[in-house]
Amino acid sequence: MKKITIAIDGHSSCGKSTMAKDLARRIGYVYVDTGAMYRAVTLFALRNNLFNEDDTVKTDELEKRIPEISITFQFNPETGRPDTYLNGELVEQVIRSLEVSNHVSAVSAIPFVRTEMVAQQQAMGQEGGIVMDGRDIGTTVFPNAELKVFVTASAEVRAQRRFKELEEKGMPADFDDILQNVIDRDYQDSHREVSPLRQADDALLLDNSNLTIPEQNEWLYEQYLRVAGE
């Protein structure tokens, strides 16, 4: 089968990363979690006091310090999936915190942040054989990807999934706060000026509100076989 580029976009907490990671592992492709990249930049900004009191970003200061930010992925043999590293530090768990979730949309909407991350993402996928998920992969990063999928689910279902994930990790969580975060991020992601979240014209729509993880994984695998075998 030919090596293709697979772009998976969609709303926050809809399981994009899970299905993308599982497919990449199943077919031997490289997986890149673009959302983790923006979360890592957000963590850097939080740690370095680059937010104002009203939670807006100190953009001038962040732009000066962008060259200091190095984001890499390393395969974790225990989980069979890549972990995110910020300047050499493993941050896979901490970037999933609600504090980072509450600030990431503001950071990811900044044009110079997106320009830097998109350039890194495009460099990673030049040779094909890659699965990448995010908000603008099929529209901006890889507009010519052979397989594009747009994933969604109801806000309540996504909030419940996020709540359960945080609980299982022993992290404090409040369902109402998470639901509001999901709703707010949907609005922010869809209304930002640069690369807003939208379904590409040639993307397949997957509403996984009522699907199990194995069911959605099998659906995605079937789409891969159909496209890569053409």
Side-chain angles (χ1 to χ4, degrees):
M1 285 191 180
K2 63 181 179 181
K3 281 195 169 183
I4 65 172
T5 297
I6 301 170
I8 301 178
D9 291 309
H11 294 101
S12 66
S13 302
C14 64
K16 299 185 305 296
S17 296
T18 297
M19 64 190 300
K21 289 174 186 175
D22 288 345
L23 178 65
R25 180 170 52 181
R26 184 172 184 177
I27 64 179
Y29 274 26
V30 174
Y31 166 73
V32 177
D33 181 352
T34 62
M37 296 174 73
Y38 290 104
R39 284 176 174 272
V41 176
T42 303
L43 179 62
F44 178 91
L46 286 166
R47 287 179 168 179
N48 289 278
N49 191 32
L50 300 180
F51 283 92
N52 296 303
E53 288 187 7
D54 63 355
D55 283 339
T56 55
V57 184
K58 298 177 181 178
T59 51
D60 290 344
E61 294 181 37
L62 178 58
E63 187 168 17
K64 291 176 185 175
R65 301 195 64 177
I66 272 284
E68 300 175 29
I69 302 175
S70 172
I71 302 165
T72 55
F73 296 94
Q74 293 183 28
F75 184 76
N76 183 333
E78 291 185 5
T79 63
R81 295 173 175 177
D83 285 335
T84 310
Y85 285 75
L86 171 62
N87 295 332
E89 176 194 352
L90 175 62
V91 293
E92 184 64 31
Q93 295 286 349
V94 67
I95 61 172
R96 311 294 173 182
S97 68
L98 189 57
E99 182 182 24
V100 171
S101 295
N102 283 334
H103 291 83
V104 67
S105 286
V107 171
S108 63
I110 298 171
F112 67 79
V113 173
R114 298 207 70 83
T115 297
E116 176 63 26
M117 294 299 105
V118 167
Q120 291 188 30
Q121 291 154 17
Q122 289 174 330
M124 293 175 188
Q126 285 181 342
E127 304 302 321
I130 193 166
V131 182
M132 192 174 287
D133 76 271
R135 300 288 192 280
D136 61 349
I137 311 306
T139 54
T140 301
V141 182
F142 295 122
N144 296 318
E146 292 90 340
L147 176 58
K148 300 179 186 179
V149 177
F150 189 90
V151 190
T152 190
S154 71
E156 290 75 16
V157 165
R158 288 183 281 137
Q160 184 58 47
R161 290 173 181 168
R162 186 76 179 137
F163 177 77
K164 184 179 179 182
E165 179 186 359
L166 292 172
E167 256 196 342
E168 289 175 349
K169 291 178 179 177
M171 301 173 74
D174 178 90
F175 177 79
D176 291 336
D177 288 345
I178 294 171
L179 177 59
Q180 190 59 52
N181 172 253
V182 167
I183 294 170
D184 290 345
R185 287 189 66 190
D186 282 354
Y187 182 85
Q188 291 166 359
D189 291 343
S190 300
H191 289 79
R192 66 185 177 218
E193 279 189 42
V194 181
S195 300
L197 171 66
R198 67 175 181 84
Q199 181 180 344
D201 293 338
D202 54 348
L204 302 173
L205 178 64
L206 173 64
D207 185 330
N208 64 10
S209 297
N210 299 308
L211 294 180
T212 64
I213 290 176
E215 286 172 340
Q216 72 175 15
N217 286 352
E218 200 57 35
W219 179 90
L220 182 59
Y221 182 62
E222 289 173 2
Q223 306 313 312
Y224 157 74
L225 290 178
R226 176 180 57 81
V227 174
E230 289 177 350

